[in-house]
Amino acid sequence: MSSTTVADGIVDRLVDWRVTRVFGYAGDGVDPLLAALRRQEDRVELVTARHEEMAAFMATGHAKYGDGVGVCLATQGPGAVHLLNGLYDAKLDRKPVVAIVGQVVTSALGSGYQQEVDLHTLFKDVCAQYLQVVSSPQQLPHVLDDAFRTALATSSPVCVIVPHDVQQANAPAQDEQAHGVVPSSTAFAQGRTVPDDDQLRAAADLLGAGQCVAVLVGQGAAGAERQVRDVVERLGAGLTTSLLGKPLLDESLPYHCGVMGHLGTTASADLMSGCDTLLIVGSNDPWTEYYPAPGQARAVQIDVTARNIGTKFPVEAALPGDAAATLDALLPLLPERDGWRQDVERFVGGWRDVIEQRVAQRSARLNPQLVLNELSAQLPSDAQVAVDVGSVTYWYARFLRLPDGVPAHLSSTLASMGSAMPYGIAAKLLHPDRPVVALAGDGAMQMNGLSELITVAHRWRDWADPRFVVLVLNNGDLAEVSWEQREMEGDPRFPTSQTVPAFPYADYAKLLGLDGVRVEEPTQVREAWTAALAADRPVVVEAVVDPDTPLLPPRQPAEKVESTLRAIEHEPDGGQAADLLREQRDDER
């Protein structure tokens, strides 16, 4: 590093790691780093969010859409605390993020100084794989190198804490060789691992003995899409995905049963309840009650992280390895047969009938299922999709069919509201020539989406393609929570807890210099999507939808449905919700 200060050296090393963008928020604890970024802003762009939490989500989004390391920056104290939620999102969805955090000057540590927080304790869980305080200039660059290598090798967030005075210090010479001086480099590579022949043969024998094979695919199957299809087709199997695995494979395939789990499809529920053999590829899906029943199915699991195997379902044959390479080695050992393909295609056909019925369902306000289903017909083939947490996640999982190759990401395992807008911004900055569609509910938009809409308004004129479409499902309710209370607890909706205050989302977009359209009738939906996806600037599509649209899991047991209906009976205005629930229950028969 030829720069003059440690802060300059940090930026130099970021460049060496091919970092072109840092997401952050200013604060005095990182003033030297901000100055260093200013001196090299032609090499590393500082993207400022409206809140440090959003900067961390943007860094996670950058890692998800770009397959690289996301980097976020914050000052000590409150700035550092605000990073936690976005970093936990990276940890739970297994994405590499490097957080660089300022700290008070070393001479003041332990004195109860202003904004002094024990940052090592604060980050020791979320950044457990690598957390280091830089107390000497000589620790750089090896600390930063180790941070990047660890983030990449473990697919996790890491943290480097740099006190203010260390940032200001002169950068050390890098040609010194002495005791305690640790040389380092940015060399990094990951190889492909494949199970040994005995493991592959045992797995192939197990799969070959099954008559009704189901294949569950998660995000770990990225890059192995062709191999997954080859295995499914050879075994005459059925395919389902975790929520994170949804974007990987074309859902129009005749054996694709859609997403598994609480927000999944009837076809996936039928597949899981009918299979006698299960192949899990790159998934660690937590919805254990939606796996095959105990004792029903034998299982094989492929995962590049060996410790994930067998943690959610009893597995007989473990295949630790890269998904693509492992499936390539496994395929020649498998028998070729029709399996239960006819049954699987019947499951898929039944679900498509359910889609038609639910999209056509009418109620007092606009049907949100229709809104997402209509987007399927118009979503550009080069789009990038960002999805928030709430009822919109259900409609995305069930009704939005992604064009082949269109990425879609959300806070899946942490399930944190407010992820769609920062994710969408990160995706847009990575690929400014591609349209972005962000899907959110009114609760998530009020939590932090409205503030990041300001970021969109600030930056959109620099984008080669100005299209950034934000769907806001405005139902005045935290609908997912309302339905969870009814379904899981047997309790009626608690309006004080779930009511979302009224807000003019489309008009607010116009106030920011963007465009906005308010949709209230089914006949307006198609035109709204057409206009938004052809606009010359970002657009907020405010869809005034019905909170009574049920979020019933597929194939819910009758006693659970009755418990939910009893809860709704205690609501003074629950008649429509009960009627819609009964109607959807009938659709599944």
Side-chain angles (χ1 to χ4, degrees):
M1 296 183 295
S2 59
S3 306
T4 57
T5 70
V6 168
D8 288 311
I10 290 172
V11 177
D12 278 345
R13 208 58 171 184
L14 293 178
V15 172
D16 291 342
W17 278 101
R18 297 180 177 85
V19 173
T20 59
R21 189 168 291 118
V22 172
F23 302 93
Y25 198 88
D28 63 354
V30 289
D31 276 347
L33 272 166
L34 295 172
L37 286 166
R38 176 186 59 80
R39 287 190 284 272
Q40 299 202 57
E41 59 184 342
D42 59 329
R43 304 173 78 192
V44 180
E45 176 189 16
L46 175 65
V47 177
T48 58
R50 312 280 63 78
H51 190 288
E52 290 92 351
E53 179 182 345
M54 297 298 96
F57 270 119
M58 289 178 189
T60 302
H62 180 95
K64 289 187 173 186
Y65 290 93
D67 294 324
V69 180
V71 179
C72 55
L73 173 68
T75 190
Q76 71 269 347
V81 172
H82 288 163
L83 290 178
L84 286 178
N85 201 41
L87 293 178
Y88 269 108
D89 184 44
K91 177 178 180 175
L92 270 61
D93 278 355
R94 297 185 53 78
K95 296 300 173 185
V97 172
V98 173
I100 301 174
V101 183
Q103 178 59 296
V104 300
V105 295
T106 52
S107 59
L109 286 171
S111 69
Y113 204 71
Q114 184 181 26
Q115 293 191 329
E116 182 185 354
V117 169
D118 184 352
L119 296 182
H120 201 278
T121 297
L122 183 73
F123 289 107
K124 70 178 181 179
D125 177 55
V126 70
C127 295
Q129 297 295 333
Y130 191 82
L131 169 61
Q132 189 58 250
V133 179
V134 180
S135 55
S136 163
Q138 284 72 28
Q139 286 178 264
L140 289 168
H142 79 257
V143 165
L144 208 55
D145 291 346
D146 286 348
F148 273 87
R149 274 192 289 267
T150 303
L152 287 164
T154 64
S155 298
S156 65
V158 300
C159 182
V160 175
I161 301 164
V162 191
H164 188 276
D165 55 319
V166 175
Q167 296 173 46
Q168 293 175 316
N170 291 332
Q174 293 304 306
D175 56 358
E176 180 183 4
Q177 185 176 27
H179 179 72
V181 175
V182 181
S184 184
S185 78
T186 59
F188 179 82
Q190 286 181 306
R192 289 193 164 197
T193 57
V194 182
D196 62 35
D197 290 344
D198 290 342
Q199 292 170 326
L200 288 165
R201 171 55 64 186
D205 290 346
L206 192 157
L207 292 168
Q211 300 300 310
C212 303
V213 180
V215 179
L216 168 61
V217 169
Q219 66 170 343
E225 293 86 350
R226 175 186 59 79
Q227 290 87 345
V228 168
R229 290 195 302 270
D230 289 347
V231 168
V232 171
E233 290 167 8
R234 173 161 293 196
L235 291 173
L239 171 70
T240 186
T241 74
S242 69
L243 189 60
L244 288 174
K246 174 181 169 72
L248 298 184
L249 290 142
D250 183 0
E251 289 184 296
S252 67
L253 292 168
Y255 49 76
H256 197 315
C257 294
V259 172
M260 183 194 85
H262 190 279
L263 37 61
T265 70
T266 59
S268 176
D270 294 338
L271 181 78
M272 286 303 205
S273 66
C275 69
D276 61 19
T277 309
L278 177 64
L279 171 61
I280 305 170
V281 184
S283 176
N284 200 26
D285 194 284
W287 292 108
T288 54
E289 66 268 41
Y290 295 96
Y291 285 78
Q296 172 193 319
R298 304 175 70 193
V300 175
Q301 186 170 357
I302 299 170
D303 203 294
V304 71
T305 304
R307 69 183 183 185
N308 288 342
I309 296 177
T311 61
K312 299 299 186 295
F313 188 80
V315 169
E316 291 185 44
L319 295 179
D322 173 84
T326 301
L327 289 171
D328 276 334
L330 182 64
L331 184 65
L333 306 178
L334 298 174
E336 188 167 355
R337 62 189 183 199
D338 293 333
W340 63 326
R341 177 62 54 76
Q342 288 186 343
D343 290 332
V344 171
E345 292 186 3
R346 179 168 50 82
F347 300 156
V348 174
W351 169 243
R352 290 175 181 170
D353 290 341
V354 171
I355 288 177
E356 290 183 9
Q357 293 166 325
R358 293 190 179 176
V359 166
Q361 194 172 39
R362 301 299 295 269
S363 57
R365 280 189 271 177
L366 182 63
N367 181 351
Q369 301 164 123
L370 168 67
V371 177
L372 270 294
N373 189 70
E374 182 58 41
L375 176 59
S376 294
Q378 299 199 43
L379 191 64
S381 61
D382 61 343
Q384 302 178 95
V385 177
V387 187
D388 223 298
V389 170
S391 61
V392 71
T393 318
Y394 288 71
W395 314 141
Y396 156 74
R398 294 174 178 171
F399 299 101
L400 182 59
R401 186 174 294 177
L402 299 167
D404 194 27
V406 167
H409 292 287
L410 73 161
S411 174
S412 179
T413 315
L414 182 63
S416 177
M417 289 173 63
S419 57
M421 287 299 294
Y423 275 17
I425 291 168
K428 191 67 174 181
L429 294 175
L430 273 165
H431 305 289
D433 57 339
R434 296 173 62 177
V436 164
V437 177
L439 310 173
D442 48 4
M445 283 302 290
Q446 290 193 20
M447 182 174 284
N448 50 39
L450 292 171
S451 61
E452 290 311 318
L453 202 59
I454 298 172
T455 304
V456 172
H458 174 62
R459 301 190 66 105
W460 72 269
R461 290 175 180 82
D462 296 331
W463 297 336
D465 184 330
R467 291 176 295 172
F468 192 109
V469 182
V470 182
L471 171 68
V472 182
L473 295 181
N474 179 6
N475 58 20
D477 188 52
L478 297 178
E480 182 178 13
V481 179
S482 293
W483 281 99
E484 285 173 342
Q485 284 189 326
R486 295 158 172 159
E487 175 208 341
M488 297 180 182
E489 312 301 332
D491 290 329
R493 176 180 178 270
F494 180 29
T496 302
S497 169
Q498 275 93 261
T499 298
V500 177
F503 187 86
Y505 302 94
D507 289 343
Y508 177 68
K510 293 177 182 177
L511 183 66
L512 294 175
L514 310 177
D515 204 354
V517 56
R518 183 178 167 97
V519 180
E520 300 183 60
E521 299 294 334
T523 54
Q524 298 173 319
V525 173
R526 180 172 301 177
E527 182 181 350
W529 281 124
T530 300
L533 290 166
D536 63 353
R537 66 192 59 209
V539 178
V540 169
V541 176
E542 178 187 355
V544 184
V545 297
D546 204 321
D548 287 339
T549 307
L551 302 180
L552 188 70
R555 303 298 188 211
Q556 188 79 321
E559 59 272 19
K560 199 71 174 177
V561 175
E562 291 304 316
S563 173
T564 304
L565 287 169
R566 286 194 296 271
I568 296 173
E569 287 174 0
H570 292 284
E571 301 175 17
D573 55 353
Q576 179 182 246
D579 289 343
L580 293 173
L581 178 54
R582 292 188 184 97
E583 185 179 336
Q584 289 201 2
R585 177 67 169 172
D586 289 341
D587 291 344
E588 294 187 358
R589 292 173 180 161

